[in-house]
Amino acid sequence: MTTRVLVTGLGTTSPVGGDVTSTWSALLSGQSGIDTIKHDWAGDLGTQIAGEVAVDPSDVLERVKARRLDRSGQLALVAALEAWADAGFALGDGDGDGTDPERVAVALASGIGGVQTLLTNYDALKEKGPRRVSPLAIPMLMPNGPAASIGLAIGAKAAVHTPVSACASGNEAIAQGIDLIRLGRADVVVVGGTEAAVHPLPMAAFGQMMALSKRNDEPDKASRPWDKGRDGFVMGEGAAVLVLESEEHAKARGATAYAEAAGAGITADSHDIAQPDPAGLGATRAMKRALVEAGLEPSDIAHINAHATSTPLGDVAEAMAIREALGAAAERVVVTSTKSMTGHLLGAAGALESVATVLALRDRVVPPTINLDDPEEVGLDLASTKRDLPEGDLAALNNSFGFGGHNVAIAFRSV
Amino acid sequence: MATQTDILNDLAAIVEDIAGVDAADVQLDKEFIGDLDVDSLSMVEIVVAAEEKFGVRIPDDEVKNLKTVGDAVNYIDKAQG
């Protein structure tokens, strides 16, 4: 008998809101978080728009705590503290909430890591010399820094992990959390992703890959998955965290579950370092594996939160993959891309979109894909407006794919 | 010429900024690590910030001798000549 894994806490800080309630409400109302980048450096770039977080982490975190973290770590901590409190846990070790720290783990991903710390310290090194490099630079820039700081904050002693698989990282962290619980290595796992790469170097680098939208004069219309006018993704920043918990542990403490994290499917394309497999074969296999692991049939799936980043090739390849994975059942699935509003949060994307998927199952409503004015004929029911889901037992998938040929699909079930 | 009080006040502001210790608690007899909860990495940051503020050089070998705030104030005072 496979251990059931429940989602008992949610947290986020995103381009559309500083917490789960504001983010979910913004997504349901079709509100874009994309805007012109306010920093001076943006003027030199081909792409001058991004989805920066709606609430700056320095407005939320203690000043001294914030200055010891990379921006990606700050965002992760904000989201994790919300999720941890939402699940009904107290902070720190031996806190009397009945949870054994040795049974608590963290799997918190990032696609790019502490890139702002790395580059800021490199600037200091060049301009002022080695003595001006921060002694905190290494713990701030290391990719596992955000995961470790969350582990410290909540007192996690089972293990702290940082899966890295570019834009699939957030979903891979969720998959790892499910595994940790099913393998009996932890009862509670704080999972998710964080990204803070709105900085000239990653922006320039993605720009050189021709991956970014250049719709600078209409920021809120730039991210338009499946619309024929799409011209690339929009960089987003933020973090999202879910608390996963074994059913037994959740029941014992009387926790309320949002949904069940029923299974994951992870595959690799082995096709190209940056391009997705044009037939979406790896993505298809990931979705199929997630269904098998979750014990679901294609006809059980009511909703898919797609990876759909608003790139010309990727959106269409994913649609083909969905049709291939689900067969005839694909036509009845309500498909959306919340990236149309948040932009692409890279290593945090899968986590933020899993939060949205979980809430869609709980509230029986799917957020719209905005800017879908002239849709591609992809043979799917794309949610160009907010859509209701039926009552009863429902399941949903969240897809994330990353440079390197990483494909991760997570299956959630209503509870 | 900065007095020891001036140095103490400026140093206290640096410690507050970097380590979050209330500047009023940064007194001459307080140990950075034992009393003020300054960790070793923050101590490096404080030293570098103090070098910049007071225009002195505090070699790495000297830092371990600066146990109390008073040690640091005396060192900076002498180094400023």
Side-chain angles (χ1 to χ4, degrees):
Chain A
M1 181 68 192
T2 312
T3 306
R4 280 184 88 209
V5 177
L6 302 177
V7 180
T8 57
L10 299 176
T12 190
T13 181
S14 79
V16 296
D19 58 16
V20 169
T21 304
S22 58
T23 295
W24 184 231
S25 144
L27 292 178
L28 290 179
S29 62
Q31 186 183 314
S32 172
I34 313 301
D35 206 347
T36 304
I37 297 172
K38 303 293 189 294
H39 305 283
D40 295 340
W41 51 257
D44 295 336
L45 297 172
T47 293
Q48 301 170 1
I49 52 175
E52 297 179 88
V53 285
V55 176
D56 199 86
S58 61
D59 294 343
V60 185
L61 293 174
E62 264 175 65
R63 184 187 60 82
V64 172
K65 195 167 275 179
R67 71 180 295 285
R68 296 174 70 95
L69 295 170
D70 179 76
R71 188 171 174 85
S72 64
Q74 296 172 359
L75 298 170
L77 190 59
V78 170
L81 293 177
E82 183 190 6
W84 193 243
D86 183 46
F89 292 118
L91 287 178
D93 202 358
D95 44 40
D97 64 18
T99 302
D100 177 0
E102 293 186 23
R103 301 293 301 160
V104 176
V106 177
L108 197 290
S110 175
I112 301 199
V115 66
Q116 298 202 33
T117 295
L118 178 68
L119 295 168
T120 303
N121 277 276
Y122 188 55
D123 288 344
L125 173 70
K126 284 188 299 181
E127 288 160 17
K128 298 179 178 172
R131 208 161 166 78
R132 291 298 184 275
V133 172
S134 169
L136 297 166
I138 297 297
M140 286 169 72
L141 71 84
M142 60 192 195
N144 57 314
S149 67
I150 291 168
L152 281 168
I154 65 172
K157 296 185 177 178
V160 172
H161 300 279
T162 303
V164 175
S165 49
C167 305
S169 303
N171 262 8
E172 191 153 329
I174 297 168
Q176 188 165 15
I178 296 170
D179 287 350
L180 287 167
I181 291 172
R182 289 193 171 151
L183 288 168
R185 292 183 182 160
D187 297 323
V188 180
V189 190
V190 171
V191 300
T194 188
E195 207 72 79
V198 181
H199 177 285
L201 191 135
M203 291 286 296
F206 279 114
Q208 290 295 86
M209 296 181 87
M210 306 295 174
L212 295 179
S213 169
K214 292 180 181 163
R215 200 180 289 259
N216 293 325
D217 51 344
E218 294 179 297
D220 57 336
K221 301 210 163 31
S223 186
R224 41 197 317 116
W226 299 297
D227 183 84
K228 285 179 183 161
R230 70 194 183 283
D231 69 332
F233 77 81
V234 178
M235 180 87 86
E237 66 168 0
V241 167
L242 300 84
V243 176
L244 302 184
E245 189 167 357
S246 72
E247 182 178 35
E248 187 184 356
H249 193 274
K251 271 190 176 164
R253 67 184 188 93
T256 311
Y258 286 93
E260 177 188 356
I266 303 181
T267 65
D269 281 350
S270 193
H271 166 75
D272 186 87
I273 194 68
Q275 298 299 331
D277 181 319
L281 296 178
T284 300
R285 287 190 294 121
M287 284 181 263
K288 284 183 169 175
R289 280 195 191 180
L291 291 179
V292 169
E293 188 171 306
L296 294 166
E297 297 296 328
S299 56
D300 295 325
I301 301 296
H303 164 49
I304 293 180
N305 189 310
H307 185 62
T309 63
S310 184
T311 59
L313 289 179
D315 295 6
V316 176
E318 181 178 10
M320 284 169 55
I322 290 171
R323 290 206 314 272
E324 184 64 27
L326 300 186
E331 289 171 21
R332 293 187 297 277
V333 175
V334 181
V335 180
T336 200
S337 171
T338 43
K339 287 189 184 78
S340 61
M341 295 169 276
T342 63
H344 188 355
L345 274 65
L346 311 180
L352 177 57
E353 289 150 27
S354 286
V355 168
T357 308
V358 162
L359 290 172
L361 286 176
R362 186 196 65 172
D363 295 348
R364 313 278 162 168
V365 59
V366 171
T369 303
I370 66 168
N371 300 322
L372 195 46
D373 301 329
D374 185 13
E376 297 269 10
E377 289 300 322
V378 292
L380 294 174
D381 182 5
L382 304 176
S384 59
T385 58
K386 183 173 81 172
R387 298 278 296 278
D388 291 331
L389 293 175
E391 294 303 311
D393 290 339
L394 294 181
L397 291 174
N398 173 32
N399 285 341
S400 283
F401 315 126
F403 285 162
H406 308 276
N407 310 293
V408 186
I410 307 288
F412 293 99
R413 299 180 78 140
S414 59
V415 290
Chain B
M1 188 62 210
T3 65
Q4 289 230 340
T5 310
D6 295 335
I7 294 172
L8 175 62
N9 290 341
D10 286 345
L11 186 62
I14 289 171
V15 174
E16 177 171 286
D17 180 47
I18 289 173
V21 180
D22 192 336
D25 293 337
V26 182
Q27 298 293 331
L28 292 174
D29 60 335
K30 294 285 174 61
E31 289 188 10
F32 287 104
I33 289 172
D35 297 325
L36 300 179
D37 263 347
V38 173
D39 68 16
S40 61
L41 298 184
S42 293
M43 192 64 197
V44 176
E45 286 194 286
I46 289 167
V47 165
V48 172
E51 286 184 339
E52 196 150 345
K53 176 78 191 174
F54 299 110
V56 300
R57 179 90 172 91
I58 307 173
D60 291 349
D61 288 348
E62 196 59 47
V63 175
K64 63 177 181 298
N65 299 326
L66 307 181
K67 289 196 166 48
T68 66
V69 174
D71 294 340
V73 169
N74 284 330
Y75 185 90
I76 291 163
D77 191 20
K78 278 185 194 150
Q80 281 185 326

